[in-house]
Amino acid sequence: MPARTSVPPHPPPPLVVTGDGDLLDDLLRLAAAGGVEVEVAADPAAARTRWRSAPLVIIGSDQAQPCLRARLPRRARLVLVGRDGDVESSWQVADLLGVEHVAVLPAAEPWLVDRFAESGVGDVPGGRVVAVLGGRGGAGASILAGGLAVTAARTRLRTLLLDADPLGGGLDLVLGWEQLEGLRWPALTGTDGRVDAPALVRALPSRGDLVVLSWDRGDLVAVPAEAMAATLDAARRGRDFVVVDLPRYLDDAAVTALQAADRVFVVVPAELRATAAAARVVAMAGPHCHDLSVVVRGPAPGRLRAAELAKALGLPLAGSLRPEPGLCRGLERGEAPAATGRGPLADLCQRIVTDLTGRSAPAGAA
């Protein structure tokens, strides 16, 4: 199997989402005038896998309502385009979608040519986003998420570990950071607009290149999808590497995070019943992500092999984890997972980080 590369050979083109043939002809003409080619999706289902990576997304007025119903994540550089008279009923939908501009043709044609031209300079915001999901309860997803974040920070990547599981107990506990001051999710649930990335980073608990957004031990609060989208947008703009720990039950906020991820890992113990449970999780998560793979955690009491488990789930095998007896003891003492850079977890995390970013930990990094 060829190795994954961290940088695509060509920058992604702008994305046009419309099923209106006449409008598409106009937009293709304007894109050509701006000196760029575009990708075309007739509906939100076709657009989903390219939604986040495109430097500019143009939604035709015919697809405004379908995109809203599809719960596509909020993103920057989103434009709604229609002809005079077509977009009058779309203003409220545009606001709900998080559209930055509404362009009415033909008056907005010169403006759109400029936007297409600007999209060709490669100004695509930010960092890589990976998400981790447990195939069953207690699978070890939070430990893998913590290990990835710690490893990325050891690799000198500016890293954010984001806890999207309100019932997980708090990732600050996984790192041994529960005493560090800083904002937790309850302070950010009202966020629904553009978040200042440097201000967010300064407000969160941090050590070195790693910052964490977790939960407190107070009353359970719901994170709206809009708050998750705004926070992830800021995280991607302000950090090199973002790790999201997802709940097994996907609420709207978790779906938003899942859709924003470049890669998603499902952690599954090497057991028959865990594989059956993971199959349900994969069926639920699969439609919302384009790059889903499995990490198999030992031991395997029934000698179930990692490759067999991955085949049963219909997923590529991202790696396997041998038992690491000292890991749980270290967590109880407040030691962050993979902090030493040694052991099966640290080795897997470093390989994943290197695959995604091309970066390895400096010699002697601690």
Side-chain angles (χ1 to χ4, degrees):
M1 180 183 294
R4 295 179 185 269
T5 56
S6 59
V7 180
H10 302 287
L15 175 64
V16 172
V17 187
T18 182
D20 183 330
D22 292 336
L23 180 59
L24 177 59
D25 288 343
D26 285 339
L27 292 172
L28 291 176
R29 172 176 55 83
L30 297 174
V36 298
E37 296 183 352
V38 300
E39 286 191 303
V40 178
D43 53 38
R48 188 177 297 278
T49 58
R50 293 164 285 175
W51 180 265
R52 190 212 55 78
S53 61
L56 172 72
V57 175
I58 305 291
I59 300 177
S61 57
D62 62 300
Q63 292 300 310
Q65 285 284 357
C67 284
L68 182 63
R69 290 195 296 269
R71 300 194 303 177
L72 295 171
R74 287 192 174 225
R75 53 155 292 149
R77 299 173 178 85
L78 184 62
V79 178
L80 179 66
V81 178
R83 296 184 183 84
D84 193 11
D86 293 341
V87 298
E88 292 180 359
S89 61
S90 301
W91 285 99
Q92 184 177 4
V93 177
D95 183 61
L96 294 172
L97 282 170
V99 165
E100 290 186 352
H101 301 280
V102 176
V104 181
L105 301 182
E109 287 192 358
W111 182 86
L112 275 171
V113 171
D114 290 343
R115 301 292 79 72
F116 278 122
E118 291 172 357
S119 72
V121 301
D123 182 23
V124 182
R128 291 287 193 174
V129 177
V130 300
V132 183
L133 183 62
R136 69 153 168 81
S142 295
I143 293 174
L144 177 60
L148 285 169
V150 168
T151 301
R154 290 180 64 252
T155 309
R156 304 294 189 260
L157 294 167
R158 300 172 303 157
T159 305
L160 171 65
L161 177 58
L162 189 153
D163 190 350
D165 185 358
L167 300 179
L171 282 180
D172 53 352
L173 288 169
V174 173
L175 298 182
W177 286 21
E178 62 271 22
Q179 301 301 323
L180 292 188
E181 295 185 358
L183 293 185
R184 266 66 172 180
W185 263 122
L188 296 171
T189 54
T191 302
D192 60 1
R194 190 173 175 88
V195 175
D196 181 74
L200 175 66
V201 170
R202 288 193 302 269
L204 297 176
S206 66
R207 282 179 179 165
D209 286 323
L210 178 58
V211 296
V212 175
L213 175 54
S214 187
W215 301 86
D216 61 16
R217 256 54 72 183
D219 294 338
L220 187 65
V221 296
V223 175
E226 294 79 9
M228 180 64 75
T231 302
L232 277 169
D233 175 63
R236 192 185 286 276
R237 285 184 281 112
R239 300 275 90 184
D240 303 312
F241 199 79
V242 181
V243 184
V244 184
D245 184 26
L246 291 169
R248 291 175 63 238
Y249 175 77
L250 298 178
D251 57 13
D252 289 347
V255 168
T256 297
L258 189 60
Q259 292 171 345
D262 298 299
R263 291 188 70 183
V264 181
F265 301 98
V266 181
V267 183
V268 185
E271 303 166 5
L272 182 61
R273 188 178 178 193
T275 304
R280 294 179 177 269
V281 174
V282 169
M284 181 174 55
H288 301 292
C289 53
H290 67 279
D291 192 339
L292 183 64
S293 55
V294 62
V295 171
V296 177
R297 181 174 65 80
R303 300 184 182 275
L304 179 62
R305 295 183 178 181
E308 294 172 339
L309 191 155
K311 183 178 180 180
L313 294 176
L315 295 177
L317 178 63
S320 56
L321 287 170
R322 300 190 307 275
E324 200 166 347
L327 181 60
C328 290
R329 292 195 297 270
L331 291 172
E332 291 297 319
R333 294 193 297 265
E335 299 172 4
T340 66
R342 298 186 298 273
L345 176 65
D347 291 344
L348 175 62
C349 289
Q350 185 60 71
R351 180 164 61 79
I352 290 172
V353 170
T354 301
D355 284 348
L356 280 163
T357 68
R359 297 272 291 272
S360 298

